[in-house]
């Protein structure tokens, strides 16, 4: 039997662009699939096809046991969707946004009000519940958007890059909310550009590129398949990323990946612990030179200088 989310041979073209080129997915009930890939890989197009926002040119899809092409209205009643951008009315309060969504789903006014209150508490928005949404921070809007997708407690959820643009603290808070959601039995398809996010949240990962699934498996399986050693460095200040990247590139055996939101750099290497010690020494030397340069010309009594 197919899982809660199932796709077979999905194809979607836009003119000469083949956005999806035979995508196959199978997500068991109560699990998280991380759809990982760069911009333009086909992640959002896949989500739009599975949530009935786009009709694929060919292929088959079943969500919550319902055929996406034959019964799109029934699929919409069984899913929640949080897109790349928070879809909230900035002139309504947080509470009013959630109550409006409930009434659009034909909930009674009292039930919609009660559900809004529950979600505002769950997503740590109760203190701002009666403020206009235009006064919310980006992280608060993102949480409100996710809460809106959960008003009717759908068995299947789709989240399209839910943490893009969030600071590390808001990202961690949203991760905790997602974990609670899945622990309650919800099936989730999550798209992301961040391997760390997929590693943290997903039971299985499908890597997409040029409209095709090029790899599938658990995080450990994909890492084992890739193989090799890596050095990861997290810097204290974002302005040090460039200097640290220069150091790592000098020792690496491939491209240095920079995750600015996490202030983290990763590079493939060979040489094990011995090489790691050399990297640390070079980083320390670079930091010392930077401090000396910054203190040049200052009185020796300056507390931040030697």
């Amino acid at each position: 039997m197919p899982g809660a989310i199932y796709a077979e041979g999905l194809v979607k073209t836009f003119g000469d662009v083949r956005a999806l080129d035979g995508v196959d997915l199978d997500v068991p009930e109560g699990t998280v699939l991380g759809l990982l890939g760069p911009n333009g890989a086909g992640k959002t197009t896949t989500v739009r096809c599975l949530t009935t926002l786009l009709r694929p040119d060919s292929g088959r899809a079943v969500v919550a046991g319902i055929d996406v092409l034959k019964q799109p209205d029934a699929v919409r009643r069984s899913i929640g969707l949080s897109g790349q951008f928070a879809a909230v009315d900035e002139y309504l309060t947080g509470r009013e946004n959630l109550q409006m969504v409930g009434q659009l789903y034909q909930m009674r006014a009292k039930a919609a009000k009660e559900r809004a209150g529950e979600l505002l508490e769950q997503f740590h928005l109760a203190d701002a519940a009666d403020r206009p949404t235009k006064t919310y921070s980006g992280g608060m809007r993102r949480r409100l958007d996710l809460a809106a997708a959960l008003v009717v407690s759908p068995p299947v959820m789709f989240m399209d890059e839910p943490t893009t643009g969030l600071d590390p603290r808001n990202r961690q808070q949203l991760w905790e909310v997602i974990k609670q959601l899945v622990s309650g039995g919800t099936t989730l398809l999550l798209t992301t550009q961040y391997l760390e996010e997929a590693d943290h949240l997903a039971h299985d990962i499908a890597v997409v590129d040029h409209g095709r699934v090029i790899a599938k498996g658990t995080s450990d399986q994909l890492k084992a398949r890739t193989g090799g050693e890596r050095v990861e460095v997290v810097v204290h200040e974002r302005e040090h990323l460039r200097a640290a990247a220069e150091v790592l590139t000098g020792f690496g055996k491939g491209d240095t990946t920079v995750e600015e939101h996490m202030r983290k750099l990763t590079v493939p290497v060979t040489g094990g612990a011995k090489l790691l010690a050399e990297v640390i020494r070079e980083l320390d030397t670079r930091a010392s030179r930077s401090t000396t340069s910054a203190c040049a010309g200052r009185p020796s009594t300056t507390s931040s200088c030697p």
Side-chain angles (χ1 to χ4, degrees), residues 35-205:
L35 205 58
L36 183 67
N39 285 330
K43 304 187 302 295
T44 296
T45 303
T46 299
V47 169
R48 288 177 176 172
C49 287
L50 292 172
T51 56
T52 77
L53 297 177
L54 284 175
R55 186 178 180 87
D57 299 327
S58 62
R60 175 174 174 246
V62 177
V63 174
I66 307 166
D67 191 297
V68 171
L69 299 180
K70 295 179 180 178
Q71 297 177 278
D73 289 342
V75 170
R76 294 181 196 119
R77 289 192 292 268
S78 302
I79 64 172
L81 170 62
S82 179
Q84 287 188 17
F85 305 101
V88 297
D89 189 320
E90 64 178 14
Y91 293 102
L92 297 179
T93 66
R95 191 186 308 278
E96 289 168 342
N97 266 284
L98 297 182
Q99 289 180 206
M100 177 183 68
V101 172
Q103 290 173 333
L104 288 173
Y105 274 102
Q106 301 182 344
M107 294 175 67
R108 294 182 180 274
K110 182 180 179 181
K113 184 177 181 179
E114 291 176 353
R115 182 59 176 156
E118 293 172 1
L119 290 167
L120 289 165
E121 289 286 349
Q122 181 182 352
F123 284 83
H124 310 292
L125 292 168
D127 291 343
D130 298 309
R131 280 169 36 196
T133 309
K134 63 182 178 181
T135 67
Y136 285 18
S137 67
M140 293 169 69
R141 289 187 183 209
R142 204 66 176 119
R143 296 203 302 274
L144 182 64
D145 180 67
L146 182 53
L150 296 172
V151 166
V152 293
S153 302
V156 178
M157 273 288 299
F158 295 86
M159 297 184 191
D160 194 5
E161 300 189 13
T163 65
T164 297
L166 297 186
D167 60 44
R169 180 184 176 188
N170 279 311
R171 187 182 304 269
Q172 289 286 345
Q173 288 179 342
L174 199 53
W175 283 359
E176 291 306 314
V177 169
I178 291 171
K179 287 180 180 179
Q180 292 173 14
L181 180 66
V182 176
S183 66
T186 300
T187 304
L188 173 62
L189 188 149
L190 169 83
T191 77
T192 181
Q193 299 180 52
Y194 308 126
L195 176 58
E196 181 187 22
E197 185 161 273
D199 192 8
H200 196 79
L201 296 173
H203 296 90
D204 291 290
I205 298 172

Side-chain angles (χ1 to χ4, degrees), residues 238-258:
R238 199 179 301 273
E239 57 263 29
H240 297 157
L241 281 169
R242 183 176 178 181
E246 291 175 356
V247 172
L248 292 187
T249 300
F251 288 96
K253 299 298 181 182
D255 294 334
T256 300
T257 301
V258 180

